[in-house]
Coordinates of all heavy atoms in Angstrom, one line a residue:
Chain A
F91 N 8.9 112.2 12.4 CA 10.1 112.1 11.5 C 11.3 112.3 12.3 O 11.5 113.4 12.8 CB 10.0 113.1 10.3 CG 8.8 112.9 9.4 CD1 8.5 113.9 8.5 CD2 8.0 111.8 9.6 CE1 7.4 113.7 7.6 CE2 6.8 111.6 8.7 CZ 6.6 112.6 7.8
P92 N 12.2 111.3 12.4 CA 13.3 111.5 13.3 C 14.3 112.5 12.8 O 15.1 113.1 13.5 CB 14.0 110.1 13.4 CG 13.4 109.3 12.3 CD 12.1 110.0 11.9
H93 N 14.3 112.8 11.5 CA 15.3 113.7 10.9 C 14.7 115.1 10.8 O 15.4 116.0 10.2 CB 15.7 113.2 9.5 CG 14.5 113.0 8.5 ND1 13.4 112.2 8.8 CD2 14.3 113.5 7.3 CE1 12.6 112.3 7.8 NE2 13.1 113.0 6.9
F94 N 13.5 115.3 11.3 CA 13.0 116.7 11.3 C 13.0 117.2 12.8 O 12.8 116.4 13.7 CB 11.5 116.7 10.9 CG 11.3 116.7 9.4 CD1 12.2 116.2 8.6 CD2 10.1 117.2 8.9 CE1 12.0 116.2 7.2 CE2 9.8 117.2 7.6 CZ 10.8 116.7 6.7
T95 N 13.3 118.5 12.9 CA 13.1 119.1 14.3 C 11.7 119.0 14.7 O 10.8 118.8 13.9 CB 13.6 120.5 14.3 OG1 12.7 121.3 13.5 CG2 15.0 120.7 13.9
V96 N 11.5 119.2 16.0 CA 10.1 119.2 16.5 C 9.2 120.2 15.7 O 8.1 119.9 15.3 CB 10.1 119.6 18.0 CG1 8.7 119.9 18.5 CG2 10.7 118.4 18.8
A97 N 9.8 121.4 15.5 CA 9.0 122.4 14.8 C 8.7 122.0 13.4 O 7.5 122.1 12.9 CB 9.7 123.8 14.8
D98 N 9.6 121.4 12.7 CA 9.4 120.9 11.4 C 8.4 119.8 11.3 O 7.7 119.6 10.4 CB 10.7 120.5 10.7 CG 11.6 121.7 10.4 OD1 11.1 122.8 10.3 OD2 12.8 121.5 10.2
N99 N 8.5 118.9 12.4 CA 7.5 117.8 12.5 C 6.1 118.4 12.6 O 5.2 117.9 11.9 CB 7.8 117.0 13.7 CG 8.6 115.7 13.3 OD1 8.1 114.8 12.6 ND2 9.9 115.7 13.7
V100 N 5.9 119.4 13.4 CA 4.6 119.9 13.6 C 4.1 120.6 12.3 O 3.0 120.5 11.9 CB 4.6 121.0 14.7 CG1 3.3 121.7 14.8 CG2 4.9 120.3 16.1
A101 N 5.1 121.1 11.5 CA 4.7 121.9 10.3 C 4.7 121.0 9.0 O 4.7 121.6 8.0 CB 5.6 123.1 10.2
V102 N 4.6 119.7 9.2 CA 4.7 118.9 8.0 C 3.5 119.2 7.0 O 3.7 119.5 5.8 CB 4.7 117.4 8.3 CG1 4.4 116.5 7.1 CG2 6.0 117.0 8.9
V103 N 2.3 119.2 7.5 CA 1.2 119.4 6.6 C 1.2 120.9 6.1 O 1.0 121.0 4.9 CB -0.2 119.1 7.3 CG1 -1.4 119.3 6.3 CG2 -0.2 117.6 7.7

Side-chain angles (χ1 to χ4, degrees):
Chain A
F91 298 171
H93 57 306
F94 277 26
T95 62
V96 167
D98 287 342
N99 262 292
V100 174
V102 166
V103 180

